[in-house]
Amino acid sequence: NARWRDSKRPSTRCTGTEMKLDVDEARRRFANSRVARLASVSETGRPHIVPVVFVVIDQKIYTAVDAKPKATKALRRLANIRVNPLVSLLTERYADDDWDALWWARADGAARVLGPDEAEADVALEALIGRYSQYRERPPDGPVLAVAVQKWSGWSASQSP
């Protein structure tokens, strides 16, 4: 019902200058974000999404299983990636009081669980430790995930970042 939709709209409206982000801008906004949501899918097609901290190096995104308490070491995201490596990561800016400031950036790609002896894992861990001060005192002790980004995309409610 159009009247219902119109009556439920927020008082702060997008200006009509909404835009699809180009690849470089989507990558820039993604890389500058502090947290992302990692979406994976199980072998039965069940979706799974978790927040992660990350670092972007060239066309790869790295995240690691850290020492924060977890229910199990057999994490669903790791099992999912082993059977279906295709994942998406999403970052966003949400402002409840200013919908003109909304944006999101997404990276779609193929993930891989790196082995502990791989040099790529060491480079990723060093970059993660450099980016997140919490990791300087307590470095991640679990597996490192590498996502080879195949597509950057995004949207913004306005042209200003």
Side-chain angles (χ1 to χ4, degrees), residues 34 53-57 61-65 114-116 118-145:
R34 301 290 292 168
V53 295
F54 65 92
V55 65
V56 176
I57 301 174
I61 299 167
Y62 296 96
T63 185
V65 177
L114 300 180
E118 291 185 58
E120 186 178 4
D122 292 337
V123 170
L125 285 171
E126 185 176 309
L128 285 163
I129 290 166
R131 184 164 196 216
Y132 297 97
S133 61
Q134 300 89 332
Y135 283 170
R136 289 183 201 119
E137 292 180 25
R138 199 168 179 189
D141 59 355
V144 174
L145 300 178

Side-chain angles (χ1 to χ4, degrees), residues 26-101:
R27 185 187 183 284
R28 184 190 71 75
R29 290 187 190 201
F30 189 102
N32 287 332
S33 297
R34 301 290 292 168
V35 65
R37 284 19 173 214
L38 170 66
S40 62
V41 179
S42 74
E43 63 187 22
T44 62
R46 185 179 186 102
H48 181 74
I49 188 164
V50 292
V52 295
V53 295
F54 65 92
V55 65
V56 176
I57 301 174
D58 298 324
Q59 285 297 105
K60 287 193 178 175
I61 299 167
Y62 296 96
T63 185
V65 177
D66 57 32
K68 290 190 300 293
K70 301 188 178 38
T72 178
K73 289 286 188 181
L75 298 179
R76 172 61 36 211
R77 71 190 95 160
L78 301 177
N80 287 352
I81 287 166
R82 287 187 176 108
V83 297
N84 182 357
L86 298 180
V87 300
S88 290
L89 291 107
L90 182 77
T91 63
E92 49 85 20
R93 180 179 191 290
Y94 178 81
D96 200 35
D97 59 339
D98 183 5
W99 280 21
D100 290 334

